[in-house]
C-alpha cells in the first residue's frame, strides 16, 4: 500500500492521544455497542453478534444444500442457478435478509427494545448454557481508559486508541505539507488498537489488543464514490492475489451506516467458522476532519491549486486487522493431505511470499563432509532469505517437518554434490524434486518468494 503507491505515505501515530480526539471522532458518545446479559449465566454478549451468528447458522444450511446438490448432479451442477432457483435455499436466504434488515433498521433508529424482541422471537439462546433468560439491550462503550499524570487530583482521563485512523486524521495537514502531497493521496499505518471487546474468542479473530493496517485516502469532495469503488476493487484484487480461492471471499455492503459514512462494505472471508469480516472499506465523508477542526479550533483544509480554493477533503478508508488476516491465511493454509502411498502429511501451504523460512538446507547424512557443504549454502543464502539448517533424522522426516512449517523449498546435499556441485531441490506443494546447480539456487528461490513475483501476478 505504501511502497508500491507513489501517492500513499506511511506514518506511525501515537497510541495515547488527547482525549478530545475521541470526543471529536464520536468514540466517547456515539460509538457504543448494543449489549445484552443472560440473567442465568451472567454472561454478556453483543446483541447484534448473537443475531448475526444466528444468520450464519442458516447460511450453513444453505451450504449443506449446495453440497448435497453438487453430489447429486455431479458435473452438470450449476451453483449459481441452484442458489437462485432452489425453493429451500431461497427460503433460507429470505429469512436471513428479513432478519438482517430488521436488525439494521432497529440499530439505526436506536430501537434497542426491538433488538431484544428479535432475539426473543428467534428464540436465540445463550451459546454457553442454552438459557433464553435475557436482560434488556444496553449501549456500552468499548474504549479502554487510563490516567495521564502522576497525582490523582490532576490526572486526566485518556484512552488507548480503538482505531489507528484518528492518528492519521489529526496528522493530516502535517503529512500533506511536509510530504508536499497533492490530492488524491493516502496516509497509511500499521499499529496496535485496543477495544474492550465483551466476547474475545474464535482464536485470534476478536481480541482486545490487536493490530490494524489502515489507510485514509483523501479525495476531492464529490469524487468519493468513484474512489470508494476503486478501493473496493483494488483491495479485493490484493486478497485474491494470495491465491486462497475466489470462493472464499465476498463483499457485504452495509445497510446500516456508521454516523460518519456515506457508503461502507466489508470484504468477508470464509473462516472455518463461516464467512466473517476481514477488511472494511468505508467512504467516511469529511466527517472526521471537520469534527477535528471544530474540536481543536484549527483548520484542516487543503488548498487545491487547480481549483484555486480551500476545502476539507473527503476520505475513503481501507481498514484490515493484521491478526485477523494472519488467521485467514493460516486457517486456509494448514492442510492434511492424503498421499498416493496411503500416508498423510501435514502441510502449511502458506503463500511463499509470507513463509517464515524460505528454504531448509539438509545434508543427506551427517558425515563425509556433507554438513560442511550444506552450511556453506546456508552462509551464502542467508543474506537474501531466511533459511534454516537441519541435519537431524531421516531426510523424509525432515521434509515433513518443513512441510508443516510452510517452508517452500528443501535443498538436499548428497554425495553427488561433492562431485558436480548440484543439489536436489524439493517443492513443498508439488513435492516435485529437481536436480539443480548450487549457483542457481538464489534465482530459483527468489522467483518463488519475492514480493515482486507475487504482486506482478495481480
Ligand atoms: N477505522 C475503521 C475501523 O476500525 P472496524 O471495522 O472496526 O473499522 C477494521 O475494524 C478491521 O479491524 C476489521 O475488519 C478487523 O479485521 C479488525 N478488527 C476489528 N476489531 C477487532 C478485534 N477486536 N480483534 C481483531 N481484529 C479486529
Amino acid at each position: 500500500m505504501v511502497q508500491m503507491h507513489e501517492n500513499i505515505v506511511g506514518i506511525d501515530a501515537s497510541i495515547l492521544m488527547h482525549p478530545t480526539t475521541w470526543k471529536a471522532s464520536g468514540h466517547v458518545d456515539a460509538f457504543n455497542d448494543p449489549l445484552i446479559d443472560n440473567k442465568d449465566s451472567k454472561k454478556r454478549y453483543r446483541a447484534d453478534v448473537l443475531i448475526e451468528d444466528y444468520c450464519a447458522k442458516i447460511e450453513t444450511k444453505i451450504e449443506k444444500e449446495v453440497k448435497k446438490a453438487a453430489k447429486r448432479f455431479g458435473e452438470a451442477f450449476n451453483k449459481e442457478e441452484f442458489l437462485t432457483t432452489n425453493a429451500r435455499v431461497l427460503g433460507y436466504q429470505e429469512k436471513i435478509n428479513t432478519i438482517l434488515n430488521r436488525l439494521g433498521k432497529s440499530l439505526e433508529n436506536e430501537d434497542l427494545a426491538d433488538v431484544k424482541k428479535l432475539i426473543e422471537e428467534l428464540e436465540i439462546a445463550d451459546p454457553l448454557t442454552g438459557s433464553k433468560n435475557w436482560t434488556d439491550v444496553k449501549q456500552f462503550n468499548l474504549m479502554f481508559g487510563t490516567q495521564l499524570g502522576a497525582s490523582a487530583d490532576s490526572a486526566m482521563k485518556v484512552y488507548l486508541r480503538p482505531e489507528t485512523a484518528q492518528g492519521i486524521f489529526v496528522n493530516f495537514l502535517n503529512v500533506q505539507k511536509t510530504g508536499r502531497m497533492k490530492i488524491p493521496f493516502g496516509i497509511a499505518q500499521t499499529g496496535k488498537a485496543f477495544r474492550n471487546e465483551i466476547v474475545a474468542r474464535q482464536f485470534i479473530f476478536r481480541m482486545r489488543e490487536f493490530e490494524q493496517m489502515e489507510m485514509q485516502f483523501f479525495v476531492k469532495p464529490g469524487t468519493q464514490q468513484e474512489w470508494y469503488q476503486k478501493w473496493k476493487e483494488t483491495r479485493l484484487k490484493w486478497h485474491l492475489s494470495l491465491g486462497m480461492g475466489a470462493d472464499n471471499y465476498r463483499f457485504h455492503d452495509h445497510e446500516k451506516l456508521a454516523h460518519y459514512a456515506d457508503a461502507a462494505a466489508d470484504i468477508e472471508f470464509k473462516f472455518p467458522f463461516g464467512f466473517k469480516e476481514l477488511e472494511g472499506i468505508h467512504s467516511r465523508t469529511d466527517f472526521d476532519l471537520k469534527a477535528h477542526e471544530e474540536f481543536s479550533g484549527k483548520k484542516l483544509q487543503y488548498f487545491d491549486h487547480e481549483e484555486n480554493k480551500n476545502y476539507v477533503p473527503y476520505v475513503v478508508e481501507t481498514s484490515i486487522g493484521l491478526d485477523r488476516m494472519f488467521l485467514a491465511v493460516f486457517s486456509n493454509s494448514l492442510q492434511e493431505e492424503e498421499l498416493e502411498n496411503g500416508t498423510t502429511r501435514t502441510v502449511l501451504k502458506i503463500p511463499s511470499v509470507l513463509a517464515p523460512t524460505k528454504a531448509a538446507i539438509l545434508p543427506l547424512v551427517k558425515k563425509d563432509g556433507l554438513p560442511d557443504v550444506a552450511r556453506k549454502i546456508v552462509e551464502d543464502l542467508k543474506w537474501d532469505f531466511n533459511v534454516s539448517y537441519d541435519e537431524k533424522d531421516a531426510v523424509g522426516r525432515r521434509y515433513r517437518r518443513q512441510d508443516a512449517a510452510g517452508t517452500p523449498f528443501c535443498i538436499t546435499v548428497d554425495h553427488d554434490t561433492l562431485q558436480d556441485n548440484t543439489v536436489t531441490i524439493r517443492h513443498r506443494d508439488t513435492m516435485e524434486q529437481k536436480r539443480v546447480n548450487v549457483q542457481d539456487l538464489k534465482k530459483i528461490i527468489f522467483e518463488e518468494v519475492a514480493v515482486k513475483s507475487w504482486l506482478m501476478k495481480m
Side-chain angles (χ1 to χ4, degrees):
M1 291 291 277
V2 174
Q3 196 171 335
M4 306 310 290
H5 289 94
E6 263 176 45
N7 60 351
I8 302 180
V9 290
I11 191 180
D12 185 12
S14 316
I15 287 176
L16 294 172
M17 290 191 282
H18 194 282
T20 311
T21 311
W22 307 110
K23 269 269 181 208
S25 67
H27 282 84
V28 173
D29 303 312
F31 273 112
N32 292 306
D33 280 341
L35 298 183
I36 191 164
D37 291 350
N38 187 279
K39 289 184 195 163
D40 296 326
S41 71
K42 313 278 183 248
K43 293 275 173 209
R44 181 167 279 184
Y45 297 94
R46 283 233 337 232
D48 53 338
V49 172
L50 281 179
I51 295 168
E52 280 164 11
D53 284 352
Y54 179 90
C55 292
K57 281 190 193 137
I58 308 179
E59 212 154 274
T60 313
K61 290 184 186 166
I62 296 180
E63 279 168 24
K64 274 194 188 143
E65 292 293 333
V66 170
K67 263 197 193 144
K68 261 195 326 203
K71 214 167 163 190
R72 190 159 12 109
F73 294 114
E75 287 205 345
F77 181 60
N78 180 331
K79 188 174 166 189
E80 273 314 300
E81 194 184 320
F82 182 76
L83 287 175
T84 46
T85 53
N86 179 276
R88 196 171 293 169
V89 168
L90 289 175
Y92 285 143
Q93 196 54 57
E94 198 185 322
K95 190 166 179 194
I96 294 176
N97 295 346
T98 311
I99 294 170
L100 292 182
N101 272 339
R102 180 161 154 202
L103 175 66
K105 282 209 179 88
S106 311
L107 291 175
E108 201 165 320
N109 300 333
E110 292 178 18
D111 186 353
L112 299 181
D114 192 56
V115 177
K116 180 180 181 190
K117 216 163 132 206
L118 187 55
I119 287 178
E120 285 173 340
E121 280 171 26
L122 297 173
E123 297 188 5
I124 294 176
D126 179 337
L128 288 177
T129 62
S131 158
K132 293 177 191 156
N133 194 5
W134 296 109
T135 62
D136 289 342
V137 178
K138 285 184 223 115
Q139 297 284 14
F140 183 82
N141 192 293
L142 285 182
M143 277 198 295
F144 277 110
T146 184
Q147 304 284 333
L148 182 84
S151 97
D153 305 337
S154 60
M156 176 160 73
K157 176 143 182 138
V158 290
Y159 298 99
L160 301 185
R161 66 180 177 201
E163 61 172 10
T164 59
Q166 298 304 324
I168 292 180
F169 288 124
V170 296
N171 279 297
F172 156 71
L173 260 197
N174 299 335
V175 177
Q176 187 269 318
K177 291 229 156 93
T178 53
R180 293 165 46 242
M181 304 305 290
K182 284 206 172 66
I183 271 179
F185 76 93
I187 307 176
Q189 74 176 318
T190 302
K192 286 277 184 202
F194 304 84
R195 292 182 195 175
N196 195 359
E197 298 283 3
I198 294 312
V199 190
R201 62 185 163 129
Q202 283 159 329
F203 190 38
I204 56 168
F205 182 80
R206 197 178 301 284
M207 298 190 294
R208 298 191 174 98
E209 175 183 339
F210 57 101
E211 196 105 12
Q212 284 190 317
M213 303 188 282
E214 297 199 294
M215 192 272 303
Q216 314 299 131
F217 200 72
F218 300 90
V219 304
K220 201 194 267 187
T223 64
Q224 70 272 17
Q225 275 305 325
E226 193 187 309
W227 283 107
Y228 169 69
Q229 291 304 338
K230 188 169 164 0
W231 280 111
K232 265 177 85 173
E233 279 164 33
T234 308
R235 293 302 305 152
L236 182 64
K237 210 167 141 198
W238 180 86
H239 282 282
L240 295 177
S241 73
L242 284 167
M244 298 202 294
D247 283 355
N248 285 328
Y249 297 89
R250 68 181 188 195
F251 279 118
H252 168 225
D253 294 307
H254 288 203
E255 302 257 335
K256 179 197 177 242
L257 293 172
H259 60 273
Y260 54 74
D262 66 3
D266 298 333
I267 294 178
E268 292 187 336
F269 181 76
K270 196 172 178 190
F271 288 92
F273 38 85
F275 269 103
K276 298 270 177 196
E277 175 185 346
L278 177 56
E279 168 158 2
I281 295 133
H282 312 124
S283 174
R284 290 182 77 129
T285 68
D286 55 359
F287 173 86
D288 301 88
L289 288 179
K290 276 207 166 136
H292 289 301
E293 275 196 329
E294 189 191 318
F295 279 76
S296 67
K298 298 255 188 251
K299 287 223 173 305
L300 281 172
Q301 298 191 358
Y302 170 79
F303 182 73
D304 190 323
H305 287 275
E306 278 168 25
E307 304 248 335
N308 201 26
K309 65 173 190 197
N310 280 305
Y311 55 76
V312 176
Y314 270 50
V315 173
V316 175
E317 165 185 74
T318 66
S319 174
I320 173 169
L322 194 156
D323 323 80
R324 201 174 280 188
M325 183 64 207
F326 174 79
L327 180 60
V329 172
F330 201 80
S331 59
N332 187 268
S333 306
L334 191 63
Q335 297 173 14
E336 283 288 320
E337 222 174 52
E338 293 245 345
L339 302 179
E340 276 173 14
N341 64 6
T343 60
T344 56
R345 68 163 181 158
T346 304
V347 53
L348 184 67
K349 288 193 171 172
I350 194 166
S352 300
V353 67
L354 298 176
T357 307
K358 305 302 184 195
I361 326 298
L362 324 170
L364 187 63
V365 288
K366 271 194 267 182
K367 55 183 185 180
D368 305 335
L370 301 189
D372 296 338
V373 178
R375 287 264 181 217
K376 254 180 87 186
I377 297 175
V378 170
E379 285 304 312
D380 186 38
L381 293 178
K382 76 180 187 191
W383 296 93
D384 298 296
F385 314 106
N386 250 345
V387 291
S388 72
Y389 173 86
D390 189 3
E391 60 175 24
K392 209 163 172 276
D393 301 319
V395 79
R397 286 189 68 178
R398 282 181 269 167
Y399 283 161
R400 291 286 174 278
R401 265 207 294 274
Q402 296 300 333
D403 287 346
T407 309
F409 292 111
C410 282
I411 295 160
T412 308
V413 172
D414 56 23
H415 292 93
D416 287 345
T417 314
L418 304 176
Q419 308 302 323
D420 59 9
N421 207 32
T422 63
V423 286
T424 300
I425 186 161
R426 171 190 178 271
H427 195 276
R428 177 196 69 198
D429 299 344
T430 59
M431 291 190 291
E432 197 182 74
Q433 302 191 12
K434 267 195 217 152
R435 202 72 197 171
V436 301
N437 202 294
V438 170
Q439 275 138 27
D440 296 333
L441 285 174
K442 215 173 270 182
K443 186 167 168 273
I444 296 171
I445 300 171
F446 183 79
E447 270 169 16
E448 165 101 10
V449 309
V451 173
K452 186 173 180 183
S453 320
W454 158 52
L455 285 180
M456 291 300 270
K457 279 190 235 145
M458 273 177 75

